Amino acid sequence: MDFPKVLLPGKAGSIKVKVETGKNPGPHVKSVTINSNDPTQPKLQVDLAFEVK
Amino acid sequence: MPLLLAVAMSACSPGGEPPPGARASQQDGASTTSPQPPAVQQPVAATAQTSQSATTAVVTPQPPSVPPANAPILQVPVTKIDFGKQPKDKTITREIALRNVGKSELKIESVVPS
């Protein structure tokens, strides 16, 4: 996964994620956890939902 | 009179010395009908601390940390992304926006899929 290692105060960035839908039909949710030195939320989870037709 | 003498004798130790707490001004044979105050006992400590130091503290060295007011803050506006209906065996690519709204450097240590 491609992501910035350091963000200075006030700076923005992005994390590029790739999700494979697979073969199983129906709803799916995959997650990524962002580990950082933010003391209030050292682990932040982002959910990626999709439905395979 | 005989009754008073009996009370004084029972309060004395076999050695003839007055019991602790007895008034020094009292003479032998003098009556002391007032009960002796109970001896003050030290409370027994419930902990296993020694008497040398009851305030010994074990200090665990802490790594230097940024004060909360100056800490980095990770802001991710969207924490749930819905890709909707997708075909099978497709690779979806998306960028997750993030920003440091704190006052010190934000370090992204890792991004782990689950």
Side-chain angles (χ1 to χ4, degrees):
Chain A
M1 245 169 286
D2 195 15
F3 59 91
K5 302 286 185 184
V6 175
L7 279 178
L8 295 176
K11 296 297 182 185
S14 62
I15 298 173
K16 188 179 286 186
V17 295
K18 291 183 180 179
V19 179
E20 300 286 340
T21 59
K23 299 183 187 301
N24 296 329
H28 300 271
V29 178
K30 296 196 185 281
S31 308
V32 292
T33 300
I34 304 170
N35 298 308
S36 70
N37 65 337
D38 181 340
T40 60
Q41 44 180 13
K43 295 181 184 296
L44 193 148
Q45 182 172 306
V46 179
D47 294 329
L48 310 166
F50 57 93
E51 183 176 357
V52 177
K53 295 180 289 186
Chain B
M1 225 31 193
L3 178 63
L4 294 174
L5 282 173
V7 170
M9 286 174 64
S10 66
C12 290
S13 62
E17 295 177 357
R23 296 178 215 166
S25 59
Q26 218 169 30
Q27 296 185 5
D28 289 344
S31 64
T32 166
T33 56
S34 59
Q36 295 291 334
V40 177
Q41 293 183 356
Q42 294 294 330
V44 178
T47 61
Q49 289 181 351
T50 61
S51 59
Q52 289 182 355
S53 172
T55 58
T56 302
V58 177
V59 178
T60 304
Q62 298 287 340
S65 59
V66 179
N70 297 329
I73 301 173
L74 171 62
Q75 183 186 67
V76 178
V78 181
T79 56
K80 184 160 188 177
I81 301 173
D82 189 353
F83 295 105
K85 294 185 178 178
Q86 298 290 331
K88 296 178 185 177
D89 294 324
K90 182 181 176 182
T91 300
I92 308 169
T93 302
R94 183 64 61 93
E95 289 192 1
I96 300 172
L98 50 96
R99 177 185 291 272
N100 178 9
V101 296
K103 296 187 177 180
S104 61
E105 215 170 67
L106 175 71
K107 296 176 185 175
I108 307 295
E109 293 159 6
S110 63
V111 179
V112 182
S114 60

